[in-house]
Amino acid sequence: FVEGYFGQLNANYGYKYFLSASLRRDASSVFAPENRWGTFWSVGGSWLLSQENFLKKVNFINSLKLKASYGVQGNDYLFLPGSNYRSYTPYLNLYYVTTDGTKPGLKASYKGNRNITWEESGNLNAGVELAFFRNRLTLEADYFVKKTNDLLFNMPLPASTGFTSEPRNVADMLNKGVEFSLAVIPVRTDKVQWTVSVNGLHYKNEITRLPEELREKGLTRGYQTLKEGGSIYDFYMVKWGGVNPANGDAQFYVKNATTGEYELKGSADYDSSSKQYVGTSIPDLQGGFGTTLSAYNFDLAIQFSYQFGGKFYDSQYANLMHSGDLGRTWHTDIRNRWTPENTTSDIPRLEFANQKVLSLSDRFIVSSDYLSLRNVSLGYTFNREVIEKLGLTKLRYYITADNVYLWSKRKGLDPRTSLAGSNDYAVYSPIRTVSMGLTLNF
């Protein structure tokens, strides 16, 4: 449960200077009574320069606004380890009823921590909004910085404690980047209007503080390792070295304990402690673009989304490239594995000892680049003469298709299914739908 009190103030002067401020005080039952309350606030302002006298006479400027804001938000979400269920009382120890067959008992399942409190995020945003040439060119650009303190996390514990983890405020994290949207109207007449638009987002994530006991080795979480100065989206895995053409052996870069250098070794010398940075799931740029065209009662709209520059661990593909487990099928790519007659293959020879560690390397790390045709819509609005004869005020026929097509590194791979950059669990891509209909206004 959350109990909260808040207030807000909005003001403007001369419709040129705008100010907003808010203050709230929240209490969450997730935390112990002594750590239950948090104070959060925000302040923001904007300046409509286009209303200033020195810009009013500049004909090509329709609107020009500068804006900035800063605020602090709180988060009380913490999930139970190994599940997607929220922990509602993480400050308490949890138990479940068990039995030896004759007598009931309690077994500890979760170690609580009364010291945890709100995870706080300070958000700074600064940007500009522009409209030029009778609104035929519009641009909005923002720079943002989000600093998160006291990140809530289920910290792994030694098995000797009897627990698997303990909730803690463990880390600080920084997100910063830029986002933009641009729209241009190349053609605008009485009969035709054509608009082209694009938007994008670029950001970086950095862990700025970890608990002292983790600063040197970091915290491993599946295929990713959290380190100070790194990102929560960084992949650390043993680097794949390709296939030895002489014998089809899987090869890896193994760290030499003496020199610290990474050396190319066969599968027999694989060493899980030789993990190194192999990429991040954060893309360099993501967003969308599209166009709309209306001409002589017809209207057409096309929308795309895109992503470039990140990495993705394709575990579904990895599971289909196994060593021959009973009752499991293969991906058809297994037909191209190394054989004495096919020595140039990038798929190692099919042998259990040679395949068992492939999924623990970056062998299946691929580009997360994609281009998606999200929507296509075509419509026709009937002339006034036809509409009036039918006793209507508007009549439009349309056909539209959603999730039309996806281009990605591998057929069947949808990088949109996971921000963390892996598809450990099979998730269906958005379903392609085609629909048509009539819009009637009486």
Side-chain angles (χ1 to χ4, degrees):
F1 299 95
V2 175
E3 178 182 351
Y5 304 89
F6 66 92
Q8 188 177 43
L9 171 68
N10 292 289
N12 81 80
Y13 178 74
Y15 293 96
K16 291 187 291 187
Y17 313 104
F18 301 85
L19 175 69
S20 65
S22 67
L23 178 67
R24 61 182 303 138
R25 180 83 169 153
D26 292 329
S28 173
S29 60
V30 165
F31 307 118
E34 61 270 24
N35 295 315
R36 188 157 289 173
W37 287 92
T39 302
F40 313 106
W41 57 275
S42 68
V43 61
S46 61
W47 178 17
L48 193 58
L49 277 80
S50 54
Q51 291 299 310
E52 298 289 355
N53 290 332
F54 60 85
L55 283 180
K56 280 186 175 181
K57 295 182 180 181
V58 182
N59 295 329
F60 69 87
I61 297 179
N62 301 110
S63 179
L64 173 56
K65 179 190 286 188
L66 299 179
K67 57 184 180 179
S69 65
Y70 183 82
V72 177
Q73 297 174 314
N75 174 48
D76 64 345
Y77 266 75
L78 188 69
F79 290 93
L80 288 168
S83 78
N84 292 321
Y85 296 101
R86 183 181 180 186
S87 177
Y88 288 99
T89 54
Y91 68 94
L92 297 175
N93 290 346
L94 301 181
Y95 302 85
Y96 64 88
V97 177
T98 184
T99 179
D100 61 359
T102 56
K103 296 180 180 179
L106 292 177
K107 184 175 181 180
S109 63
Y110 184 80
K111 188 179 188 312
N113 182 0
R114 295 187 66 90
N115 295 321
I116 60 172
T117 187
W118 288 91
E119 173 186 308
E120 293 189 354
S121 296
N123 300 274
L124 171 67
N125 287 271
V128 59
E129 296 178 11
L130 307 170
F132 292 158
F133 310 114
R134 292 187 299 169
N135 296 313
R136 294 181 68 165
L137 172 63
T138 58
L139 171 66
E140 184 172 352
D142 291 275
Y143 172 74
F144 64 87
V145 178
K146 181 178 181 180
K147 182 70 166 66
T148 302
N149 296 320
D150 299 324
L151 190 70
L152 287 167
F153 189 77
N154 286 303
M155 178 68 71
L157 294 177
S160 58
T161 64
F163 298 92
T164 59
S165 65
E166 177 187 40
R168 296 183 192 175
N169 296 101
V170 298
D172 297 340
M173 185 172 62
L174 180 68
N175 288 285
K176 58 183 178 181
V178 293
E179 55 184 337
F180 69 90
S181 61
L182 174 67
V184 180
I185 304 177
V187 178
R188 184 168 61 190
T189 68
D190 293 339
K191 296 292 185 179
V192 179
Q193 178 162 311
W194 176 32
T195 302
V196 179
S197 61
V198 60
N199 64 74
L201 168 66
H202 168 78
Y203 75 99
K204 294 295 183 183
N205 169 270
E206 180 184 356
I207 300 169
T208 56
R209 179 184 66 87
L210 280 176
E212 187 173 349
E213 63 268 27
L214 296 177
R215 288 175 185 170
E216 183 176 349
K217 64 178 182 179
L219 175 64
T220 298
R221 185 181 61 174
Y223 317 115
Q224 297 165 317
T225 300
L226 282 60
K227 293 185 177 182
E228 279 193 6
S231 166
I232 62 172
Y233 301 110
D234 288 347
F235 291 106
Y236 280 82
M237 307 178 78
V238 177
K239 197 170 182 62
W240 167 249
V243 176
N244 188 332
N247 55 17
D249 200 9
Q251 300 179 123
F252 307 92
Y253 286 94
V254 178
K255 190 173 185 178
N256 187 306
T258 303
T259 65
E261 299 291 327
Y262 288 91
E263 301 173 350
L264 191 61
K265 298 289 186 178
S267 59
D269 297 311
Y270 174 89
D271 182 2
S272 61
S273 65
S274 295
K275 292 180 180 179
Q276 57 179 300
Y277 174 79
V278 294
T280 177
S281 64
I282 299 179
D284 294 329
L285 184 65
Q286 59 184 306
F289 61 91
T291 185
T292 60
L293 174 65
S294 59
Y296 301 96
N297 293 5
F298 286 95
D299 58 90
L300 173 68
I302 303 174
Q303 296 294 327
F304 290 86
S305 63
Y306 66 88
Q307 177 173 292
F308 303 110
K311 299 294 184 181
F312 195 95
Y313 180 73
D314 194 354
S315 61
Q316 297 296 314
Y317 180 70
N319 291 336
L320 292 171
M321 296 294 286
H322 55 85
S323 57
D325 299 338
L326 183 64
R328 293 175 60 195
T329 189
W330 275 303
H331 192 282
T332 55
D333 286 355
I334 204 71
R335 297 171 180 168
N336 191 41
R337 65 191 181 277
W338 183 96
T339 65
E341 296 76 32
N342 184 29
T343 60
T344 60
S345 174
D346 62 348
I347 302 172
R349 70 179 186 276
L350 192 56
E351 175 188 332
F352 179 75
N354 199 39
Q355 299 270 342
K356 63 179 181 179
V357 292
L358 290 184
S359 62
L360 304 178
S361 73
D362 73 336
R363 163 81 170 83
F364 302 104
I365 290 282
V366 298
S367 169
S368 65
D369 296 358
Y370 75 81
L371 176 63
S372 170
L373 178 52
R374 296 175 59 91
N375 175 270
V376 178
S377 179
L378 177 64
Y380 179 78
T381 301
F382 288 83
N383 290 322
R384 181 180 300 274
E385 293 80 3
V386 176
I387 295 173
E388 290 177 348
K389 288 181 180 179
L390 296 174
L392 303 173
T393 58
K394 183 179 180 180
L395 176 60
R396 177 176 177 266
Y397 172 78
Y398 66 88
I399 180 169
T400 183
D402 294 306
N403 304 309
V404 180
Y405 202 79
L406 174 69
W407 294 268
S408 64
K409 178 65 176 179
R410 181 179 291 115
K411 185 177 181 180
L413 171 64
D414 189 348
R416 300 171 298 176
T417 57
S418 171
L419 176 63
S422 66
N423 54 359
D424 291 337
Y425 303 98
V427 178
Y428 287 108
S429 298
I431 297 173
R432 182 187 299 130
T433 60
V434 179
S435 59
M436 61 181 68
L438 285 172
T439 301
L440 297 88
N441 290 349
F442 294 92

